[in-house]
Amino acid sequence: PYLQLAPKVFAEEYLEPSSAKPPADYKFHCVNGKVKWLQYIYDRGSDTKEVIVNAKGEVLDIHFDENMVSMREFEVPNEFGGMVLIAEKLSKPFKYVRVDLYLVDGEIVVGELTFFPMYGCYGGKGQSALGEYLDFDRSEFKKPICG
């Protein structure tokens, strides 16, 4: 999808972690401007962990990324409501987008918007279960390029 775009180089601000580990990822999966679920990823670099949470911050019994350790504990941060508002505002123009946010010393930082995470080739039962949350019009689609 990026074939028609001119290549560009840019630099991002370094997010200084308050510990030796990188800050946790809050990956909000959104449909038509509404958060459907969150993929919370932490402890990157050593037994990376994942928790799947609904839009209310409740843990779901789903394992999405089989390359990570599936966990079932999530402490809703004080900034959660603000994070949901930001994710929904940024995702409003799109049928589907994942909005990546970080919390650094209580400040919400936008990471990126991703239109097809892992190039659309996640596998496993978690993908099927979470696909049910993505309630957009599926009457038009392109054939997958992966097995």
Side-chain angles (χ1 to χ4, degrees):
Y2 302 117
L3 185 62
Q4 304 301 319
L5 299 177
K8 299 199 185 280
V9 176
F10 65 93
E12 295 179 325
E13 178 182 349
Y14 176 69
L15 300 179
E16 184 72 44
S18 56
S19 69
K21 296 181 181 179
D25 295 76
Y26 294 81
K27 297 178 177 289
F28 290 90
H29 294 254
C30 304
V31 172
N32 297 321
K34 294 291 179 196
V35 169
K36 296 298 180 167
W37 57 280
L38 164 67
Q39 182 182 21
Y40 175 69
I41 300 171
Y42 63 102
D43 285 350
R44 281 199 183 268
S46 64
D47 293 325
T48 303
K49 296 166 186 67
E50 165 194 80
V51 181
I52 304 301
V53 178
N54 68 18
K56 297 176 185 175
E58 301 164 337
V59 175
L60 302 174
D61 189 22
I62 298 173
H63 187 189
F64 185 54
D65 190 332
E66 296 176 356
N67 296 309
M68 299 179 193
V69 178
S70 180
M71 304 298 287
R72 299 292 186 267
E73 296 176 11
F74 178 72
E75 186 174 326
V76 178
N78 293 334
E79 299 83 359
F80 192 73
M83 296 174 90
V84 168
L85 288 174
I86 290 169
E88 290 185 344
K89 185 172 185 174
L90 291 173
S91 67
K92 195 146 199 81
F94 307 107
K95 183 184 270 191
Y96 167 81
V97 68
R98 189 189 76 202
V99 178
D100 296 359
L101 302 176
Y102 299 92
L103 267 179
V104 179
D105 298 327
E107 180 182 347
I108 301 169
V109 179
V110 177
E112 67 179 10
L113 304 182
T114 303
F115 296 97
F116 39 93
M118 204 160 125
Y119 52 90
C121 292
Y122 275 106
K125 293 178 183 176
Q127 178 187 10
S128 297
L130 290 166
E132 298 297 321
Y133 286 81
L134 305 180
D135 55 351
F136 53 79
D137 176 14
R138 293 184 175 115
S139 62
E140 296 181 29
F141 63 91
K142 295 187 186 269
K143 187 177 178 179
I145 59 168
C146 56

